[in-house]
Amino acid sequence: MKHFEDPVLQAMASRRSVSKVGPHTPTDAEIARLLAAVTPVADHKALRPWRLLLLRGDDRLRLGEALDTASGTERAPREVNPKPLRAELLIAVIASPTEHPKVPAWEQHATAAGAAHLLELALFQAGWGVMWRSGREANAPAVRALHGLDDSELLMGWLYVGDIDPAFREKLAASNRPPLDPAPFLGRLPDPTPR
């Protein structure tokens, strides 16, 4: 369903999370090219307080082992955690704040989340399915160690990326989901007069 004449606004309005993606993925070079759409994210003092890690192949098995360690899950021999195997490509999104007197860490975390969402939009617009996943174990010691996080860094989750099944793509194109009612999200400052 078309809500906007402007192609950029329409692309934003039509983005959907795709929970089941196929085995084909963008190359590292394609992802690097799409980052040009991410770098304009709102970023006070241009600190670029985020970084990405690409997990493919056995890296996903290593992530599964770290998640099992974090949750205390024990598996039978040769059994693996299936969660990181839901996509052939996972992009770890890491908030990497730096000390700055005018930019608190929470603001830098918001910038990292904004960069992840812009990348999600760019990937979807380029034809890829994306699902942003996280979980309680995302910042557990074993998972943090696997990703090589510094003490100040925060793992914001992973973008699961792959191709979209043609039948599901048709379903998305035919969707007539109405736009969200903006009323609950817009307001004014409280009345300053004492009660």
Side-chain angles (χ1 to χ4, degrees):
M1 175 180 254
K2 191 163 184 176
H3 300 293
F4 298 98
E5 293 301 321
D6 180 88
V8 174
L9 294 176
Q10 183 57 32
M12 292 168 61
S14 60
R15 186 212 64 85
R16 299 290 182 267
S17 293
V18 180
S19 61
K20 186 174 181 184
V21 296
H24 303 290
T25 63
T27 65
D28 292 4
E30 288 175 281
I31 294 167
R33 185 178 61 78
L34 290 174
L35 286 179
V38 174
T39 53
V41 67
D43 183 3
H44 191 187
K45 297 295 182 185
L47 298 176
R48 305 286 188 260
W50 52 274
R51 61 188 181 96
L52 307 171
L53 296 177
L54 307 180
L55 286 73
R56 301 180 188 270
D58 288 347
D59 286 346
R60 298 169 306 135
L61 295 173
R62 293 172 59 204
L63 174 56
E65 291 169 2
L67 289 169
D68 283 349
T69 298
S71 66
T73 301
E74 294 186 23
R75 297 186 187 273
R78 293 191 297 276
E79 182 186 5
V80 298
N81 185 327
K83 289 180 179 178
L85 304 179
R86 293 176 183 164
E88 294 293 323
L89 169 62
L90 278 61
I91 304 175
V93 178
I94 300 166
S96 189
T98 55
E99 285 288 329
H100 194 285
K102 295 185 177 180
V103 190
W106 70 262
E107 191 175 337
Q108 296 183 54
H109 291 167
T111 295
H117 186 58
L118 282 179
L119 179 57
E120 197 177 21
L121 284 168
L123 285 162
F124 189 77
Q125 189 62 17
W128 300 105
V130 185
M131 182 76 174
W132 188 348
R133 298 180 187 275
S134 57
R136 292 190 311 183
E137 286 83 27
N139 281 280
V143 180
R144 292 178 61 80
L146 176 73
H147 290 78
L149 269 59
D150 289 340
D151 289 344
S152 66
E153 293 184 313
L154 182 68
L155 180 58
M156 309 288 282
W158 304 267
L159 303 181
Y160 283 55
V161 184
D163 55 322
I164 302 174
D165 178 84
F168 187 68
R169 187 180 294 284
E170 286 180 25
K171 182 179 174 184
L172 286 175
S175 173
N176 58 2
R177 184 167 86 174
L180 203 59
D181 175 12
F185 305 98
L186 295 172
R188 303 264 184 210
L189 288 176
D191 187 348
T193 56
R195 295 179 182 198

